[in-house]
Amino acid sequence: MSNPAPLRITGFPQQALDASKRTPPVMTRTDVEAQISEGHHLVIMHGQVIKVDAWLKYHPGGDKAMLHMVGKDASDEVDALHSLEAKQQMLRYRIGRIEGTWSNFVPPIQGGTFRSRAEIEAASTKLNYPKDDSSPSISRTPSPVFDEEDTKGLRHRAGDKSKDARAGSVSSASSVDEVMDGMSYLDSITREHITLDLEKYPSPDEATQAKIVEKYRALHQRIWDEGLYECNYRAYAIECTRYVLLFTLMWVCLYFQRYFLGAFFLGAMWHQLVFAAHDAGHMGITHSYRTDTIIGIIIADFIGGLSLGWWKRNHNVHHIVTNAPEHDPDIEHMPLFAVSHRLLGSLRSTFYDRVMAYDAVAKVLLRVQAWTYYPLLALGRFNLYFLSWDYLIAGRGPKKGPAAWHRWLEMVGQVFFWTWFGYGILYKIIPDNWSRFVFVMVSHITSSPLHVQIVLSHFAMSTVDLGPQESFAQKMLRTTMDVDCPEWLDFFHGGLQFQVIHHLYPRIPRHNLRKTQKLVQEFCDEVGIPYALYGFANSNQRVIGRLAEVSRQAAILAKCQKSIVDNGNWSGVHY
């Protein structure tokens, strides 16, 4: 008897028995564009055209993540974030297949525009072009990828001596023309940052990115074959022992009325538990969607008072459009912080569906953001409570489908949390208001290193858009850094020190990330993509440096606007 074929982690598995066995028709680029122009949501996955309209409102990870994939080849994103069983179910929504390579559109949520079939045919007749010779530029975006005359010569690699590929720094006041208007100044910074990324990373043209994709998928299969998706349950037993110990120490301190110390142990437990909730949210513990979701809700809602559903909706978008100022909620913290100069232009957030106004409050707070960074992050858990309640009360999660029951279990979890923590500890055990206040503040501040760890890998990395053809792998490596630490400190960072590996392969159990790191470094060397790895102190310095840089840019922007006003030309002032 022959051995079964090895399981493939990339691509579609065998179809479900009740799925249609018919061969889907070939769809052209025109067919896809025309359907998207009619309001349909089509995604390309391993050569198959998937129509996700009916699934959008049921998607457990939220609709926003799917909307960012419309018109694009989402094969690598889907492989990274979904189980084989989930991908098998996706074949139910297959309406066609494509032949050859696919050139990505810009999704409608990102500003892409699509022509109807009549418009395509009219344009084809007028210009005497074949109907399917539609350029990716048809789908446009208000992104800072300047792909006309201003970018000729920009797509050079490091070592190219062309003067056109270089841009002088515009981050200091001395290099800014006194009569430059505000938006021109911001655009000039964008051009500079794009130039730097195009020199540092492989070209985002389709041929170059196709080679990166091929090697990325081969690495994914190698990781699977070497057993790095297998969870180390012994390591989790040790983790659980730590959680129980910290929780027990809290109760012992409360019994002896050592409230300050008890709060410290509670905060330390919350800090550690979030790592397990993060693993569960990515199906990185049992790899079972239902089981890991229940584990995650118990940890996040019942023990921590935070919504796992909110986190999933937010975090999935973060994994798809990492460090995109208009789209990634993890870097959208106006008016408190801005890690990109583009946020000074009052961008509209596609996640929150509102303008992130660069108003008078933001102008004051961003001026000192390098100084307020750590104090505000120390209070970050209070903001997470608000976001969790907003998600659950407003019903922002799926109301039907496999995730519909999550909201009600989370509601029960919230009641349970505020019963044991709010009523049981704060009200019944701690005797006076001052001690209660101290207990809340100490426990929440003790857990706050988590917030530094969450943003550390992204705040100092690139925030520019290199266009829709850039591969998933290169985008993750360009927008994410790893934090170097000794192995004995892995428990403190909880896997967040391996964010590069995690973003490339989110479902790998965190106790295997250190082993995977060596394979990813080999991949980066092979394809010529820089691998960002910094020590903890250096990483923090880079983040503070980025915040200070944006503060300087904000000051220069104000100077430009003032200069325009002083010269009597109000057209260059943007509020």
Side-chain angles (χ1 to χ4, degrees), residues 151-218:
T151 57
K152 290 181 179 179
L154 282 184
R155 299 187 183 278
H156 293 284
R157 300 284 295 120
D160 192 326
K161 303 301 182 181
S162 171
K163 293 181 180 180
D164 292 335
R166 299 286 189 262
S169 172
V170 290
S171 298
S172 62
S174 61
S175 60
V176 179
D177 192 321
E178 289 295 331
V179 297
M180 180 185 288
D181 69 77
M183 295 310 294
S184 295
Y185 169 63
L186 296 181
D187 287 346
S188 67
I189 302 175
T190 300
R191 288 184 174 89
E192 177 190 359
H193 289 182
I194 290 175
T195 300
L196 293 174
D197 273 12
L198 290 173
E199 292 176 345
K200 186 176 181 181
Y201 294 90
S203 171
D205 66 83
E206 294 183 28
T208 301
Q209 295 302 307
K211 295 177 181 177
I212 294 173
V213 168
E214 180 182 4
K215 295 183 182 300
Y216 166 77
R217 293 177 183 175

Side-chain angles (χ1 to χ4, degrees), residues 55-68 82 289 309-310 312-314 316-317 320 351 391 396-398 403:
W55 183 243
L56 270 176
K57 58 184 177 181
Y58 303 128
H59 184 225
D63 59 338
K64 298 281 188 178
M66 298 179 70
L67 292 176
H68 282 290
H82 294 80
Y289 168 71
W310 160 79
K312 279 190 174 184
R313 182 173 183 263
N314 178 290
N316 286 338
V317 174
I320 295 295
F351 184 83
Y391 172 84
R396 301 189 189 281

Side-chain angles (χ1 to χ4, degrees), residues 391-461:
Y391 172 84
L392 292 172
I393 294 172
R396 301 189 189 281
K399 296 179 176 60
K400 295 182 179 179
W405 58 273
H406 296 176
R407 181 190 182 195
W408 306 110
L409 181 58
E410 289 200 87
M411 289 285 199
V412 173
Q414 292 292 316
V415 172
F416 181 84
F417 172 78
W418 289 106
T419 298
W420 75 261
F421 175 69
Y423 178 76
I425 292 180
L426 295 181
Y427 181 74
K428 294 293 292 183
I429 294 179
I430 299 178
D432 58 86
N433 289 335
W434 174 249
S435 297
R436 290 168 185 149
F437 173 77
V438 170
F439 190 90
V440 168
M441 296 305 295
V442 171
S443 60
H444 285 58
I445 292 174
T446 301
S447 69
S448 67
L450 169 71
H451 308 301
V452 176
Q453 292 166 313
I454 288 173
V455 304
L456 191 60
S457 293
H458 298 293
F459 269 23
M461 296 299 288

Side-chain angles (χ1 to χ4, degrees), residues 270-325:
W270 280 339
H271 173 264
Q272 290 289 293
L273 270 176
V274 167
F275 302 139
H278 178 255
D279 299 341
H282 279 294
M283 296 184 295
I285 299 178
T286 69
H287 295 306
S288 164
Y289 168 71
R290 184 179 294 271
T291 303
D292 279 359
T293 296
I294 292 174
I295 292 173
I297 290 177
I298 290 173
I299 294 172
D301 291 87
F302 284 76
I303 303 177
L306 307 177
S307 167
L308 184 75
W310 160 79
W311 175 85
K312 279 190 174 184
R313 182 173 183 263
N314 178 290
H315 199 65
N316 286 338
V317 174
H318 165 67
H319 270 269
I320 295 295
V321 287
T322 307
N323 265 24

Side-chain angles (χ1 to χ4, degrees), residues 334-350:
M334 293 287 282
L336 302 179
F337 305 123
V339 298
S340 170
H341 65 281
R342 298 193 60 234
L343 291 166
L344 305 180
S346 294
L347 297 180
R348 181 173 185 82
S349 167
T350 60

